[in-house]
Amino acid sequence: MGKTIIISNRLPVQLQIDNGSIKAIPSVGGLATGMKSVHSGGDSLWIGWSGLTDEEIPEELADDIDEALAKHGSSKVKLTSEEVDGFYYGFSNRTIWPLFHYFLQYSEFELDSWDTYKKVNQKFADAIIKNANEDDVIWIHDYQLMLVPQMVREAMPEVSIGFFLHIPFPSFEIFRTLPWRKEVLSGLLGADLIGFHTYDYERHFLSSVRRLLGLEVSFNDIYLEDRIIKVDSFPMGIDYKKFSDAAKEHLQREPKDQSELQQRLNKHKIANPKAKFLLSIDRLDYSKGIAKRLNAFEYFLNKYPHYKEKVRLIILAVPSRSNVPQYQLLKKEVDELVGRINGEFSTVSWTPIWYFYRSMPFDNLIDLYTSSDIAWLTPIRDGMNLVAKEYIATRTDKSGVLILSEMAGSANEMNESLLINPNNFEQIADTIDEAIKMPVEEQQERNGVLQKRLERYNVERWANDFMTSLLEQKEANNTEVSRKLSKKLLSEVEEKYKKSKKRLLFIDYDGTLAGFHNDPQKASPDEELYELLDKISSQENTDMYLISGRDKETFTKWFLPKKYNMIVEHGVWISKNGEPFSMLENVKKDWMEKIHPVLESFVDRTPGSFIEEKNYSLAWHYRKTDPDFGQKRATELNTVLTSLIANDDLSVLNGNKVMEIKSSNVNKGRAAMRVYTEADYDFAFAIGDDWTDEFMFQELPETAVTVKVGLQKTAAKYYVDGTKDVRLLLKRFLD
Ligand code: GDG
């Protein structure tokens, strides 16, 4: 494995030019804080934007800037101020951020900023391509760079690409409103592994992929023609040791070594030992629910007036995206609310809210964490929320209460905290009361469990899990059980075919010779296909069988009186040399009366599904239904049928968007073997795309050439990508 390349919008340091000299300031925010420890660990390069636009970089400082960044293992992507406006403040933060956090009303759909987003994503991709080797591992981060995976994939088809989204992925109903939804999904699908913080985000993403791109999704794998993409959840952890060590060190400091902020906090504690500090820390962002929290605090003070002068809310709101109008409005709203509440409740000796609108050094952050009795974090939506985890990590004696919004991704792993709905003021007020009264033993019990979990699943573990999973995925894609029919393998098969004296070919129809169609009757053969089949079947010493689950009427209409051999309905009927169909297998059909009404009830409740009645089987098709819903109903039907047919000699075949119920002693494998044993064949070949073809792959002798169409799990020896490749393969058999 080569080096790791991390790509995110911002680098781990932000550069500032101060009187001609360059200052590197550590970046604030979840992604930067989390990935820093991964970056410092080994051979890695971080590519991102330096925080300075081209216009802000004087020519004479350009080299110094590159050098300053190189010291931090970083390399910059150059952006003009216009590009930053369109890409970052525009599409990223006025379209994607609000949409993905369910603030639909704030989402702007501007073609210009989408164009800039595409252009800047290409710039990031170019920077990667310039720096990467094929054996490097590329890890792309977050919503600003969703098109980069596919852009890199096009230039470097074999390289390992991982993508992690740090914010929520919204439900399909929200995501579908984005005009460029398909482009965004396709951009992401350039990756080998796509990671989210929670299972819910993963689920939403897969549902959009299925519904908008119509791709085959099985569990958490997405099947493309030439690759499988894995989607998984990896809840991001923190650098636990860094926070807990810092807290320990803080608590041991002599008063004279303490920060000014700590000394002030201490003074208030000493003056009023029973008073409680409530802490809230976030970037000033509407998704974090700061204004709502202030309103809830006012509600609390009114509902529990005896806490007046006994609680203080410390709000640290870190300036963020102040170029975006929504953030300016929010700043105004928060300023006014703080003013109003302080005006309403303050006494000579007490101000209920301390409000800091700035970014603080790490040291002060620890002061706040270690001095606060309660951390109160109520985002309206939050991908994860690392502040909640950091607070717990700094509680060295395990005291302290965390009140956390259910809407934060971290709530999934922090059940021992007090979880609230940020919109329910009544519940919030009661929970603050509960937190204030909570006995220390209970606090320690809850935090003990949380600390163990956070210490174990820290940010290093998170990154390792992601990387391991990415490499495994690459490995799995490279070493499939069946091998892709490469040019070399194709030549080998062709040679075997041409040298053989008696050949037998089994060729499935739907999904193999012809693509799928919503109406099965419309997937009829084209002229080119007839020509190809005519030529193969007329070769000497060659028995070609079309083998299908279709009914004999359709195949009679499409192929007779052509002299192809045909086996239909999975092996019930056979036709040789242009003769009418006759029965190959004796099967009963009295069970149909019992099963038909069950299928009817599923058709009634599943719009778009329908029953196909074949002579000896019944098929329930759900290709035209909503994919998620269809899958759910298919699972349900499977359960119902399994118990219904327990005593009959029937089996249920789960095909491609179809479930077929038929007699157990009929399948393509059994039929193929009956034909195979009729003569002395020295070349046997079978090709098919779905589950029902697996019977052939399994039952034909080891020497047979078996080929699966598509990438799904198979017993076949080889695979090809799609129907086009099937025809190219068959053409090889012509003289
Ligand atoms: C995004 C997602 C997801 C904050 N103020 C200061 C400061 N911080 C540090 C905190 C924490 C980080 O910034 C904030 O992380 P969050 O996770 O709470 O939130 P976002 O910035 O919105 O991050 C979020 C995250 O990505 C990771 O995937 O959890 O859901 O929105 O580490 O400590 N650090 C310093 N001074 C401050 O004033 N030094």
Side-chain angles (χ1 to χ4, degrees), residues 28-31 33 97 166 197 236 281 283 288 316 318 359-362 365 369 382-387 390:
V28 179
L31 191 164
T33 322
W97 178 274
H166 289 261
H197 281 306
M236 186 173 179
I281 296 185
R283 276 182 310 98
K288 305 284 182 182
L316 172 59
V318 182
S359 172
M360 286 198 179
F362 179 73
L365 201 68
Y369 283 150
D382 211 341
M384 173 52 70
N385 195 301
L386 299 179
V387 171
E390 293 168 0

Side-chain angles (χ1 to χ4, degrees), residues 11-16 22-28 36 50 72 359:
L11 286 169
V13 286
Q14 294 297 293
L15 296 187
Q16 282 181 2
I22 300 161
K23 267 198 345 202
I25 302 160
S27 300
V28 179
K36 246 181 245 175
S50 67
H72 295 272
S359 172

Side-chain angles (χ1 to χ4, degrees), residues 389-671:
K389 295 185 171 182
E390 293 168 0
Y391 173 71
I392 295 295
T394 59
R395 307 305 300 178
T396 50
D397 66 353
K398 299 190 171 57
S399 69
V401 183
L402 171 64
I403 304 178
L404 179 62
S405 161
E406 290 165 11
M407 316 299 171
S410 49
N412 289 307
E413 304 155 75
M414 303 187 84
N415 247 312
E416 293 75 10
S417 60
L418 300 181
L419 297 180
I420 50 99
N421 172 351
N423 303 309
N424 186 342
F425 286 10
E426 193 66 19
Q427 181 198 29
I428 292 175
D430 295 346
T431 307
I432 298 177
D433 176 48
E434 184 189 344
I436 293 171
K437 288 185 189 147
M438 188 184 284
V440 178
E441 298 73 40
E442 185 181 340
Q443 297 176 18
Q444 290 173 330
E445 203 172 301
R446 287 171 184 262
N447 293 339
V449 183
L450 285 170
Q451 286 185 345
K452 264 200 195 135
R453 196 175 301 142
L454 295 178
E455 193 170 5
R456 204 172 47 237
Y457 203 87
N458 59 15
V459 69
E460 210 173 311
R461 228 344 250 294
W462 167 78
N464 277 340
D465 273 8
F466 185 90
M467 282 298 208
T468 312
S469 184
L470 174 55
L471 296 177
E472 277 172 8
Q473 187 56 19
K474 195 73 200 167
E475 188 78 17
N477 266 333
N478 288 340
T479 54
E480 250 112 18
V481 192
S482 61
R483 288 189 295 160
K484 184 166 178 159
L485 268 180
S486 60
K487 272 197 183 135
K488 184 168 165 278
L489 286 170
L490 267 173
S491 305
E492 283 172 25
V493 172
E494 181 184 339
E495 200 186 322
K496 241 192 213 173
Y497 179 87
K498 290 192 171 154
K499 274 192 183 154
S500 58
K501 299 204 169 59
K502 187 128 183 84
R503 307 139 178 170
L504 176 62
L505 309 178
F506 292 107
I507 309 171
D508 165 55
Y509 184 78
D510 292 280
T512 302
L513 287 177
F516 285 103
H517 205 284
N518 276 344
D519 177 353
Q521 286 309 316
K522 291 205 172 129
S524 54
D526 52 82
E527 272 317 308
E528 188 206 58
L529 182 59
Y530 282 127
E531 222 176 279
L532 177 65
L533 297 177
D534 285 347
K535 282 187 186 158
I536 295 178
S537 59
S538 62
Q539 284 182 333
E540 283 207 7
N541 292 322
T542 308
D543 294 336
M544 182 196 80
Y545 280 82
L546 296 182
I547 187 161
S548 168
R550 288 229 180 213
D551 60 78
K552 71 177 189 327
E553 286 70 24
T554 306
F555 264 37
T556 302
K557 187 172 89 196
W558 285 351
F559 297 114
L560 285 181
K562 291 223 178 249
K563 299 207 162 173
Y564 311 155
N565 303 310
M566 294 181 278
I567 294 172
V568 292
E569 296 192 28
H570 301 287
V572 178
W573 302 96
I574 190 163
S575 148
K576 286 188 182 175
N577 220 6
E579 298 286 320
F581 280 98
S582 64
M583 247 183 162
L584 179 65
E585 199 76 54
N586 243 326
V587 282
K588 289 195 230 146
K589 53 192 291 190
D590 49 352
W591 54 270
M592 287 188 179
E593 276 170 36
K594 180 168 83 178
I595 302 296
H596 203 280
V598 177
L599 298 188
E600 266 169 14
S601 80
F602 272 75
V603 168
D604 292 344
R605 293 183 300 127
T606 318
S609 74
F610 62 93
I611 302 170
E612 188 187 355
E613 291 177 33
K614 304 190 190 180
N615 293 310
Y616 290 92
S617 72
L618 290 174
W620 178 70
H621 289 264
Y622 57 97
R623 181 163 297 281
K624 280 194 274 185
T625 63
D626 171 283
D628 280 342
F629 185 53
Q631 195 52 51
K632 181 175 158 274
R633 279 278 191 261
T635 312
E636 216 177 289
L637 178 58
N638 203 24
T639 316
V640 173
L641 289 174
T642 312
S643 62
L644 253 180
I645 63 175
N647 298 323
D648 300 295
D649 204 8
L650 294 175
S651 48
V652 180
L653 296 186
N654 286 303
N656 196 332
K657 308 274 186 230
V658 55
M659 285 177 75
E660 186 154 355
I661 303 97
K662 56 169 211 42
S663 201
S664 291
N665 63 356
V666 177
N667 68 52
K668 287 184 181 177
R670 191 176 151 119

Side-chain angles (χ1 to χ4, degrees), residues 239-253 362-363 365-367 369-370 393-394 396:
D239 186 345
Y240 187 89
K241 196 164 174 309
K242 178 174 142 191
F243 283 91
S244 91
D245 285 356
K248 278 181 207 145
E249 190 269 325
H250 262 236
L251 295 169
Q252 282 162 6
R253 277 188 198 169
F362 179 73
D363 208 39
L365 201 68
I366 302 294
D367 291 337
Y369 283 150
T370 49
T394 59
T396 50

Side-chain angles (χ1 to χ4, degrees), residues 154-369:
E154 274 159 25
M156 305 183 78
E158 299 302 325
V159 80
S160 281
I161 306 175
F163 181 91
F164 191 85
L165 187 73
H166 289 261
I167 64 173
F169 194 93
S171 85
F172 166 69
E173 287 299 337
I174 300 283
F175 183 70
R176 72 196 299 197
T177 62
L178 181 69
W180 307 281
R181 57 206 186 173
K182 285 194 182 175
E183 287 91 330
V184 166
L185 291 180
S186 306
L188 290 169
L189 294 187
D192 297 294
L193 172 67
I194 303 174
F196 297 94
H197 281 306
T198 73
Y199 173 64
D200 280 331
Y201 309 155
E202 174 192 333
R203 205 164 51 78
H204 292 156
F205 173 71
L206 287 173
S207 155
S208 284
V209 165
R210 220 184 269 139
R211 288 162 177 221
L212 293 168
L213 301 183
L215 288 173
E216 192 61 38
V217 176
S218 164
F219 297 103
N220 52 347
D221 289 336
I222 303 171
Y223 288 86
L224 296 190
E225 278 220 335
D226 55 346
R227 274 176 319 117
I228 300 173
I229 298 161
K230 188 169 178 170
V231 180
D232 212 340
S233 53
F234 302 87
M236 186 173 179
I238 55 164
D239 186 345
Y240 187 89
K241 196 164 174 309
K242 178 174 142 191
F243 283 91
S244 91
D245 285 356
K248 278 181 207 145
E249 190 269 325
H250 262 236
L251 295 169
Q252 282 162 6
R253 277 188 198 169
E254 296 291 325
K256 66 174 175 38
D257 297 329
Q258 290 174 342
S259 68
E260 201 188 318
L261 174 68
Q262 185 65 59
Q263 292 178 11
R264 290 204 169 194
L265 290 165
N266 290 348
K267 228 193 244 166
H268 282 274
K269 283 256 166 191
I270 293 163
N272 201 345
K274 283 203 172 144
K276 300 282 181 194
F277 282 143
L278 265 82
L279 175 67
S280 111
I281 296 185
D282 325 78
R283 276 182 310 98
L284 189 74
D285 193 298
Y286 47 80
S287 67
K288 305 284 182 182
I290 303 172
K292 235 182 205 158
R293 202 173 313 160
L294 287 166
N295 282 316
F297 188 58
E298 182 181 26
Y299 190 91
F300 161 77
L301 289 176
N302 281 324
K303 181 165 182 192
Y304 294 97
H306 58 278
Y307 284 127
K308 282 180 195 167
E309 300 202 318
K310 297 202 175 61
V311 290
R312 171 164 286 132
L313 175 59
I314 305 174
I315 291 203
L316 172 59
V318 182
S320 183
R321 304 171 197 169
S322 35
N323 288 17
V324 179
Q326 245 80 42
Y327 290 73
Q328 293 159 0
L329 286 175
L330 177 66
K331 163 82 173 45
K332 196 160 165 270
E333 187 185 3
V334 169
D335 285 355
E336 282 170 11
L337 269 171
V338 171
R340 183 164 65 74
I341 298 169
N342 273 345
E344 189 182 339
F345 293 97
S346 286
T347 62
V348 185
S349 55
W350 177 65
T351 325
I353 302 169
W354 281 349
Y355 171 43
F356 301 94
Y357 175 63
R358 68 180 88 133
S359 172
M360 286 198 179
F362 179 73
D363 208 39
N364 287 153
L365 201 68
I366 302 294
D367 291 337
L368 290 176
Y369 283 150

